[in-house]
Every structure is written in C-alpha cells, then in structure tokens.
Amino acid sequence: QQAASDVLVAVGQRFINKVMEEALTKFQPGILPHYFILQTFANLSVSNVFGMVPFLNSILGTMLPMLGMAKQDHMKAVFCY
C-alpha cells in the first residue's frame, strides 16, 4: 500500500488531475477513508503544492466532518499530517 501511494504521488507531480479524480472516488463523505488515501493526499500536497490548491475545498469539506470518526491513533496522526 505504501508503494502504491508512492507511485500515485510520483505520477501526481505531473498528472495531478487524473490522480485526484481517482483518489477522490475513495474519499466519500461519512465513510472513514483508508489510511493511505489520507497519506497520499498529504504527500501530494507536499510534492505538488500548486496542483493541490484547487482540490482543497473538496478535501477539507469532506474531511472536517470525519474528524470525530477517527478513533485509532494512527488515523488521528494521518488526519493531522
């Protein structure tokens, strides 16, 4: 899963729209996402800052109501990252 996340980040440096289009399908409101979806978003934000700006409203709007659902420590940590 880490390797797949790293591949998405590498591809997202050049093709951010395609990567985000697919990643956002796994990021649905009311359903706690997989750890590596959030990790991929975080790493994409670091590697392609300007490319992620158009997606911030969508990501944060979906993420903020989910914060209370994160009960496990590793999920809390990845939400912070």
Side-chain angles (χ1 to χ4, degrees), residues 8 16-27 37 41:
L8 286 173
I16 189 73
N17 290 333
K18 293 286 187 185
V19 170
M20 288 304 296
E21 180 181 318
E22 291 299 320
L24 285 173
T25 63
K26 303 294 183 191
F27 192 62
I37 293 294
F41 286 162

Side-chain angles (χ1 to χ4, degrees), residues 30-52:
I31 302 170
L32 196 64
H34 193 275
Y35 174 88
F36 279 102
I37 293 294
L38 296 174
Q39 183 76 29
T40 302
F41 286 162
N43 290 334
L44 275 170
S45 296
V46 171
S47 71
N48 190 349
V49 175
F50 296 111
M52 284 295 287

